[in-house]
Amino acid sequence: MTTIDQDAAWAAFAARDRRQDGQFVAAVRSTGIYCRPSCPARHPRRENVCFLPDGAAARAAGFRACLRCTPDAVARDSRAVAAAIEAITAAASPLPLAELAARVGYAPHHFQRLFTRATGVSPAAYARALRAERAGSALQRERSVTAAIYDAGYGAASRFYAEGAQRLGMTPSAWARGGAGVTIRWTIAATTLGPLLVAATDRGLCRVAFDEDEAALAARFPQAEVTPGDASLATLAAAVVALVEGRSQDTTLPLDVRGTAFQEAVWQALRAIPSGETRSYAELAAAAGRPGATRAAGTACGSNPLAVVVPCHRITRSDGGLGGYAWGVARKRALLARESGD
């Protein structure tokens, strides 16, 4: 049975923390009802509240669902999003929003909002990301770029060039040759947390890492042309250093990174965490559209190619512990302290 930290749950309930919806329910002894954590109703006294894993546990204990916040709808919404993701993944061609919503029993515009809130992207954007991910894999596998494009599910090559190639960050033929023909500029920036490699293509940052150098960059991109940075990279590097030093909260720096659809959903969810705040791995998985995929979310954090810019240091364990960090726990602690003003 799931063990719930009653004090932490009360803090989330008192704050009406929407991120905790679906993680537990609040059962109120004085009224006999159970609510989702974000319920807008007036809060009962602390001694009248206990926290249970889900609606089924609450009903088994004799409580009934709150009619105002409808806590059981959280599970239904999660199942609908999961079913939609499964349908998008299995479809040979893009599914219209109306058809997708009808499959899971929701009105189109309501489901669009629901899906976007759960995954961070619209159903159409999720499908585009999935097709581009498949294109990346196919381009590494197929001899023919055209065959790879159609194998990934694009109805026409023009559609891939309109959306997939832009997401991949390089031409499809360059992708198929392991990045050949792509120029990556690099510099080593001095920070108070140690030397920081900052590297970028013409499209945006592709690698930001502590304690790495040109050799490590070349090993990561063996077919690319790796060359020292210019004035434009110096400007970009200065913006990254400002993030490290806590002088900036800029979330608009251009990126040129690639991952699976889930990895990119995790990285997007990481960039949405405000400076000075943290999330648990479970919360991150939920924000990326895969509630319960806590370990996979942790793996996606570990594969993050952009230290600080994609702030995986803002993820901590559910017990409040710092957890791991690819560039050292001491750096993680320092970054969090700077962002919280300590």
Side-chain angles (χ1 to χ4, degrees):
M1 182 177 176
T2 302
T3 300
I4 297 175
D5 183 328
Q6 296 287 311
D7 291 336
W10 171 257
F13 183 56
R16 294 186 173 88
D17 189 347
R18 191 182 188 91
R19 297 168 300 175
Q20 296 298 316
D21 287 354
Q23 303 302 309
F24 61 85
V25 296
V28 185
R29 299 185 185 95
S30 56
T31 62
I33 66 171
Y34 63 92
C35 304
R36 63 172 82 190
S38 66
C39 183
R42 181 178 178 180
H43 284 138
R45 297 170 64 88
R46 173 67 182 90
E47 60 267 25
N48 289 331
V49 183
C50 64
F51 299 96
L52 299 169
D54 51 34
R59 291 191 298 275
F63 295 92
R64 66 185 186 279
C66 172
L67 296 178
R68 184 169 183 180
C69 69
T70 58
D72 293 337
V74 176
R76 177 175 177 252
D77 291 349
S78 296
R79 288 194 297 270
V81 170
I85 289 174
E86 184 177 349
I88 292 170
T89 303
S93 59
L95 295 173
L97 175 62
E99 178 181 342
L100 188 64
R103 288 191 183 194
V104 296
Y106 285 79
H109 294 301
H110 176 65
F111 186 67
Q112 172 100 338
R113 291 193 298 271
L114 174 68
F115 190 98
T116 302
R117 185 169 65 239
T119 67
V121 295
S122 68
Y126 190 96
R128 288 194 297 270
L130 183 62
R131 284 199 303 275
E133 175 192 339
R134 288 171 173 168
S137 298
L139 285 165
Q140 293 175 325
R141 184 177 65 248
E142 299 278 1
R143 287 180 174 272
S144 164
V145 169
T146 301
I149 289 172
Y150 285 100
D151 186 47
Y154 290 95
S158 59
R159 175 60 61 183
F160 172 80
Y161 283 93
E163 59 183 54
Q166 182 178 10
R167 178 178 174 276
L168 295 176
M170 60 182 72
T171 66
S173 58
W175 180 287
R177 297 195 306 272
V182 175
T183 298
I184 297 176
R185 294 177 174 81
W186 66 277
T187 188
I188 302 294
T191 80
T192 55
L193 297 183
L196 183 70
L197 171 73
V198 180
T201 67
D202 290 339
R203 292 177 179 267
L205 294 163
C206 62
R207 183 68 177 171
V208 175
F210 290 101
D211 301 330
E212 289 189 3
D213 55 16
E214 179 187 7
L217 184 66
R220 180 174 287 272
F221 300 100
Q223 302 302 319
E225 178 186 355
V226 176
T227 184
D230 53 12
S232 62
L233 181 64
T235 300
L236 199 54
V240 175
V241 170
L243 291 174
V244 175
E245 306 299 347
R247 300 193 302 265
S248 170
Q249 300 178 18
D250 189 356
T251 60
T252 63
L253 298 179
L255 311 185
D256 186 2
V257 292
R258 301 176 301 277
T260 66
F262 180 64
Q263 284 175 328
E264 293 191 9
V266 167
W267 299 341
Q268 183 175 5
L270 287 168
R271 297 192 87 194
I273 301 173
S275 178
E277 297 185 15
T278 61
R279 301 287 187 271
S280 69
Y281 289 101
E283 289 172 330
L284 178 63
R290 291 269 299 279
T294 302
R295 182 169 297 181
T299 300
C301 280
S303 62
N304 169 29
L306 301 176
V308 186
V309 178
V310 175
C312 57
H313 62 275
R314 295 175 187 162
I315 301 302
T316 59
R317 295 200 306 256
S318 57
D319 63 3
L322 286 181
Y325 187 55
W327 296 284
V329 174
R331 285 191 175 111
K332 181 175 186 175
R333 184 179 295 109
L335 289 167
L336 291 174
R338 291 173 182 184
E339 292 180 354
S340 64
D342 294 342

